[in-house]
């Protein structure tokens, strides 16, 4: 109810805002898109379809993806889990809140419906659903629909399961419920008998420090009375697994013979030991050190051991003799090498789970048989991120499964072939197969939407909307200045502030190559810092603290990823590890894991200056107790604040040698999304606390005038929605800007009250705000609609008129 009330408050702040007429300009990139969660294609005219993005909204094309129009930009939320279209009358149903359960899966507020192809929308309720896996429309009765609710991401809730409406969405009945941690992730319906439905229930618990992505309540259920009652049809010797490793399930019926059903399973049980599998024995690999005994370690080949240390960037002081001596004397355990290198990235890709399996039933779900003969290697530990399966409407043996690769089988699932190509993006989330020409597919992935007409032999990319999911942004001082940013699963990019969101193509004779968006690095793009003395030296990286320094246009880079001594406690890096160049001397680089690091020479050497600044780690498979924000006062060198993901704010006044905890009287254990030292008063500092990972949507904003010793709450009129960032205006200390999970807000009274800023902005999460002082621009990094820019001159003029 607080979130629904917050939506009303947001509308009020938009209608009364002095800044509602200020226009923002989207500068892209469109050459790199965002995560597609669903496509729905007109079967009678496949050149018309809708594409739903995780946080980029809903887009419509009538020209086979040559251009798109957004049709869901003015509702309360923009994140989508699933869509369903009645192509007979144009009705569109939207289930808000992505179901893929990732770090960047934002919550929705239920279901919307449009009866005029997206021109207007009606809210249909289910506010506590938060994340929706599937919507099914009855093919015979437009008033009947079913919704698969996966439920809250970061807490248990009783509203999970399958819901049915018989009155067009005016009222709902929960017809399938298992428990508070088991939600409905997928469904399918018998097209010849809409009373027969199948629902996939999935047990998952996500917390800030741990993710349990499987459980013995994950199962497939069947209804024969239109979804009014359900019966579990897996487990109990049916041939379909049901145990603690049973993860996400996807399901698809063969339309020509609905007795045939396919299902994918993310099996989180571990594979049998493959240590005896043939591999290159000329080198040691990390797994060699996992369970090694002292005697075995001391007998390792010296040359191979040295090679391993060099290839894994160990300090030069570690070689075969020094490390063997440490093991021999008991200074370190023989397994320390494994523990030292086995970080979050390694666990994510190398944990030997079984992963994707494909099952088939030929008797409408009474019995199941695993059909894939070999391991599919479709994904690693992150099967929770995928799960969709499609079967050709005219060929029972032709199926497509979605994962890191898009894979096709033409023999009923016994064997699969990856059909990705160089011009497609990995991480696939759904495929539509043309019922009239089953070689024609429309498929979505983390990089947008692709279309093929020859079973994946060739692809083209639909003209991509500007829907990149930025984690963080930065600007330089070039003329015109450039904007840099890290994008979810799409690397780090930079482009001119003079661009618009129209994609510049290589074959466009009028394009100016120097003004295109350009890629700096891959992976999940994270933070960027630019040395503005030359506007060419950049620091950038990917998840869990993997950073590098590089000159734009150069070919040599310097890796920056501090590691402690092997005998010291292991470091913890946040998914989005913070970095910062000092404004006083841009040779100085700050970086945070659970401890604070400083380099005086551009990252060539970097040293720890603190102990653990968090509350300490928790048992789980997600790094926790980490530094997530660093900020240095622009008024005093060495006055630095850090914030952690478990609620600590610490300050140092001597450059990092001594630290003082200053958050003991603030709300406890929250993610400190930003700490920002004021440019107007040395002792002033702002903090935003984010409760999303605790399933709490309160907008916590605080200010201190005494270096954090005491705090005052600000923004009491801000609508419900976690806060991600705060920035001061470069000229007026009374003007503040905050970015929320539902938009951008500004204050003219030092944060006592706020108004919505830019009514033309969709309700997209604002992850970062940068101010380019020379141009007097505000730059907004959104998680779903790329980059927006507005001039601050008009804001400042409106402010001066308001305070006269």
């Amino acid at each position: 109810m607080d979130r629904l009330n917050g939506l009303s408050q947001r509308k009020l702040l938009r209608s009364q805002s002095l800044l509602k007429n200020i226009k923002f300009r989207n500068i892209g990139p469109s050459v790199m898109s965002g995560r597609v969660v669903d496509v729905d294609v007109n079967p009678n005219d496949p050149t018309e379809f809708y594409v739903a993005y995780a946080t980029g909204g809903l887009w419509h094309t009538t020209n086979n993806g040559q251009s798109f129009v957004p049709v869901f930009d003015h509702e309360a939320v923009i994140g989508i889990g699933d869509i369903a279209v009645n192509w007979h009358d144009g009705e569109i149903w939207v289930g808000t809140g992505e179901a893929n359960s990732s770090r960047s899966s934002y919550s929705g507020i239920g279901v919307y419906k449009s009866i005029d192809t997206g021109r207007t929308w009606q809210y249909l309720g289910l506010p506590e659903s938060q994340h929706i896996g599937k919507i099914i429309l009855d093919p015979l009765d437009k008033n009947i629909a079913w919704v698969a609710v996966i439920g809250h991401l970061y807490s248990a809730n009783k509203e999970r399961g399958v819901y049915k409406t018989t009155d067009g969405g005016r009222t709902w009945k929960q017809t399938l419920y298992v428990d508070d941690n088991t939600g409905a992730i997928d469904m399918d319906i018998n097209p010849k008998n809409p009373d027969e439905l199948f629902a996939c229930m999935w047990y998952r618990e996500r917390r800030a420090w741990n993710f349990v992505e499987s459980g013995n309540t994950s199962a497939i259920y069947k209804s024969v009375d239109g979804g009014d009652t359900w019966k579990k049809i897996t487990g109990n010797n049916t041939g379909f697994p049901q145990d603690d490793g049973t993860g996400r399930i996807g399901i698809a019926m063969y339309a020509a013979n609905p007795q045939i059903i396919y299902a994918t399973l993310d099996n989180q049980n571990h594979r049998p030991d493959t240590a005896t599998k043939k591999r290159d024995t000329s080198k040691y690999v990390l797994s060699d050190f996992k369970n090694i005994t002292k005697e075995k370690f001391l007998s390792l080949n010296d040359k191979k051991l040295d090679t391993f240390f060099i290839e894994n960037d160990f300090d030069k002081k570690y070689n075969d003799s020094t490390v063997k001596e440490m093991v021999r004397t008991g200074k370190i355990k023989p397994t320390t090498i494994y523990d030292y290198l086995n970080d979050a990235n390694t666990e994510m890709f190398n944990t030997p789970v079984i992963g994707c399996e494909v099952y088939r039933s030929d008797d409408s779900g009474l019995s199941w048989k695993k059909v894939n003969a070999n391991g599919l290697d479709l994904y690693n530990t992150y099967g929770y991120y995928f799960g969709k399966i499609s079967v050709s409407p005219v060929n029972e043996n032709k199926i497509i499964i979605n994962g890191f690769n898009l894979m096709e089988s033409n023999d009923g699932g016994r064997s699969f072939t990856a059909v990705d190509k160089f011009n497609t993006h990995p991480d696939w989330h759904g495929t539509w197969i043309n019922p009239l020409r089953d070689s024609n597919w429309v498929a979505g992935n983390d990089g947008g939407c692709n279309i093929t007409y020859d079973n994946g032999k060739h692809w083209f990319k639909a003209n991509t909307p500007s829907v990149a999911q930025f984690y963080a942004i930065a600007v330089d001082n070039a003329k015109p200045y450039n904007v840099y940013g890290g994008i979810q699963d799409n690397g780090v990019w930079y482009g001119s502030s003079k661009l618009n969101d129209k994609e510049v193509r290589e074959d466009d004779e009028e394009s100016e190559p120097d003004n295109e968006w350009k890629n700096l690095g891959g992976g999940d793009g994270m933070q960027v810092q630019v040395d503005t003395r030359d506007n060419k030296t950049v620091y950038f990286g990917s998840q869990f603290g993997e950073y590098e320094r590089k000159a734009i246009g150069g070919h040599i880079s310097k890796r920056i990823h501090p590691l402690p001594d092997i005998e010291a406690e292991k470091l913890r890096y946040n998914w989005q590890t913070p970095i910062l160049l000092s404004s006083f001397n841009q040779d100085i680089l700050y970086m945070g894991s659970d401890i604070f690091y400083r380099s005086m020479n551009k990252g060539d050497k970097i040293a720890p200056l603190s102990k653990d600044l968090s509350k300490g780690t928790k048992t789980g498979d997600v790094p926790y107790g980490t530094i997530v924000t660093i900020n240095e006062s622009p008024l005093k060198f060495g006055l630095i604040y850090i914030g952690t993901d478990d609620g600590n704010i610490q300050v140092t006044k001597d450059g990092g040698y001594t630290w003082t905890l200053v958050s003991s009287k603030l709300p406890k254990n929250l993610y400190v999304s930003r700490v920002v030292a004021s440019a107007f008063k040395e002792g002033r500092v702002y903090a935003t606390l984010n409760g999303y990972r605790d399933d709490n949507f309160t907008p916590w904003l605080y200010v201190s005038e005494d270096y954090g010793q005491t705090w005052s709450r600000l923004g009491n009129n801000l609508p419900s929605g976690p806060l991600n960032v705060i920035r001061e205006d470069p000229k007026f200390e009374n003007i503040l800007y905050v970015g929320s999970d539902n938009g951008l807000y500004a204050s003219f009274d030092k944060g006592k009250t706020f108004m919505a800023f830019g009514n033309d902005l969709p309700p997209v999460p604002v992850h970062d705000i940068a101010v380019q002082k020379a141009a007097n621009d505000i730059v907004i990094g959104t998680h779903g609609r790329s980059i927006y820019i507005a001039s601050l001159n008009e804001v400042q003029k409106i402010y001066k008129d308001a305070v006269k």
Side-chain angles (χ1 to χ4, degrees), residues 234-539:
T234 52
N236 297 325
N237 299 315
T238 62
F240 196 99
Q242 186 176 1
D243 54 32
D244 289 339
T246 306
R248 179 171 173 172
I249 302 169
I251 194 163
M253 301 182 73
Y254 176 48
N257 178 8
Q259 292 285 309
I260 300 173
I261 309 166
Y262 286 98
T264 55
L265 168 64
D266 173 30
N267 192 330
Q268 285 291 303
N269 289 299
H270 284 202
R271 300 189 299 270
D273 185 12
T274 57
T276 59
K277 184 178 179 181
K278 287 185 178 181
R279 66 172 178 82
D280 182 4
T281 58
S282 66
K283 293 183 178 182
Y284 291 133
V285 296
L286 182 59
S287 60
D288 290 330
F289 301 91
K290 184 174 184 179
N291 298 308
I292 194 168
T293 64
K294 180 177 181 179
E295 292 73 18
K296 180 69 173 177
F297 191 97
L298 296 177
S299 68
L300 291 174
N301 180 277
D302 291 345
K303 185 176 181 180
K304 288 165 63 175
L305 189 58
D306 268 340
T307 299
F308 180 84
F309 290 147
I310 292 170
E311 291 183 345
N312 286 276
D313 292 325
F314 277 74
D315 191 279
K316 293 180 179 179
K317 65 184 177 181
Y318 299 118
N319 55 48
D320 63 286
S321 59
T322 58
V323 176
K324 281 187 175 181
E325 180 63 19
M326 296 170 77
V327 172
R328 182 179 293 109
T329 59
K331 188 173 183 180
I332 63 173
K333 297 182 296 183
T335 55
T336 294
I337 300 301
Y338 178 84
D339 296 335
Y340 183 71
L341 292 178
N342 189 46
D343 58 14
N345 260 330
T346 304
E347 289 280 359
M348 184 165 60
F349 293 110
N350 291 342
T351 300
V353 298
I354 293 172
C356 182
E357 296 179 318
V358 179
Y359 291 82
R360 173 171 167 157
S361 172
D362 290 298
D363 52 15
S364 195
L366 292 178
S367 63
W368 297 84
K369 181 180 179 181
K370 179 183 171 182
V371 292
N372 59 294
N374 301 306
L376 293 173
D377 196 25
L378 189 61
Y379 40 70
N380 297 90
T381 58
Y382 47 97
Y384 61 84
Y385 195 55
F386 308 106
K388 297 287 183 69
I389 181 170
S390 304
V391 57
S392 164
V394 295
N395 181 352
E396 67 180 77
N397 292 313
K398 182 176 182 177
I399 57 177
I400 298 172
I401 53 176
N402 298 261
F404 179 82
N405 298 114
L406 190 70
M407 303 187 81
E408 179 193 19
S409 173
N410 286 293
D411 56 11
R414 287 186 293 275
S415 63
F416 283 86
T417 302
V419 293
D420 309 56
K421 294 296 183 289
F422 70 93
N423 63 337
T424 61
H425 194 284
D427 291 348
W428 299 78
H429 299 288
T431 304
W432 175 83
I433 303 175
N434 190 335
L436 302 179
R437 177 182 176 178
D438 75 344
S439 61
N440 172 211
W441 314 337
V442 182
N445 52 52
D446 274 14
C449 184
N450 292 87
I451 301 173
T452 180
Y453 285 93
D454 54 11
N455 296 305
K457 292 183 177 64
H458 302 86
W459 295 88
F460 70 88
K461 187 174 183 179
N463 186 346
T464 309
S466 181
V467 289
Q469 296 171 298
F470 277 87
Y471 283 117
I473 61 171
V475 296
D476 63 17
N477 286 336
K479 294 183 180 180
Y481 68 90
N482 296 297
V483 181
Y484 304 73
I487 306 174
Q488 188 276 328
D489 202 38
N490 283 297
V492 177
W493 294 73
Y494 73 100
S496 171
S497 58
K498 295 300 182 182
L499 288 169
N500 58 37
D501 64 354
K502 180 182 179 181
E503 181 180 350
V504 182
R505 300 181 182 275
E506 292 182 1
D507 58 357
D508 185 348
E509 294 180 357
E510 298 181 358
S511 69
E512 298 180 33
D514 290 341
N515 288 334
E516 296 177 10
W517 280 91
K518 299 179 177 66
N519 179 255
L520 284 171
D524 280 86
M526 296 299 162
Q527 297 192 4
V528 184
Q529 290 288 286
V530 187
D531 189 332
T532 54
R533 295 172 298 186
D534 63 10
N535 297 314
K536 290 184 178 180
T537 302
V538 292
Y539 300 75

Side-chain angles (χ1 to χ4, degrees), residues 46-49 60-68 451 460 463:
T47 66
E48 180 187 15
F49 56 90
H60 182 218
T61 180
T62 57
N63 55 22
N64 209 29
Q66 294 183 76
S67 64
F68 285 89
I451 301 173
F460 70 88
N463 186 346

Side-chain angles (χ1 to χ4, degrees), residues 516-580:
E516 296 177 10
W517 280 91
K518 299 179 177 66
N519 179 255
L520 284 171
D524 280 86
M526 296 299 162
Q527 297 192 4
V528 184
Q529 290 288 286
V530 187
D531 189 332
T532 54
R533 295 172 298 186
D534 63 10
N535 297 314
K536 290 184 178 180
T537 302
V538 292
Y539 300 75
F540 62 94
S542 57
Q543 63 268 24
F544 299 125
E546 285 290 348
Y547 281 95
E548 61 183 290
R549 183 194 74 230
K550 186 176 181 180
I552 292 177
H555 300 288
I556 300 175
S557 65
K558 163 66 179 176
R559 184 191 185 211
I560 304 174
H561 183 73
L563 292 173
D565 291 340
I566 60 174
E567 63 268 33
E569 187 173 345
K570 189 174 181 177
L571 296 178
R572 301 185 299 276
Y573 284 101
N574 191 267
W575 177 256
Q576 188 189 154
T577 295
I579 58 172
L580 179 71

Side-chain angles (χ1 to χ4, degrees), residues 199-262:
C200 302
M201 302 299 288
W202 176 30
Y203 181 94
R204 63 109 167 92
E205 294 181 67
R206 184 155 203 161
R207 300 295 182 267
W209 56 90
N210 192 46
F211 191 1
V212 179
E213 56 260 53
S214 62
N216 62 15
T217 53
S218 298
I220 300 175
Y221 286 74
K222 180 179 179 179
S223 174
V224 294
D225 57 7
D228 291 331
T229 61
W230 298 84
K231 180 182 179 181
K232 183 163 70 72
I233 58 169
T234 52
N236 297 325
N237 299 315
T238 62
F240 196 99
Q242 186 176 1
D243 54 32
D244 289 339
T246 306
R248 179 171 173 172
I249 302 169
I251 194 163
M253 301 182 73
Y254 176 48
N257 178 8
Q259 292 285 309
I260 300 173
I261 309 166
Y262 286 98

Side-chain angles (χ1 to χ4, degrees), residues 581-596:
L581 288 179
S582 174
S583 61
F584 296 93
N585 180 352
Q586 292 183 76
D587 287 345
I588 300 175
L589 172 69
Y590 304 123
M591 186 173 181
S593 57
D594 52 308
I595 64 179
F596 178 81

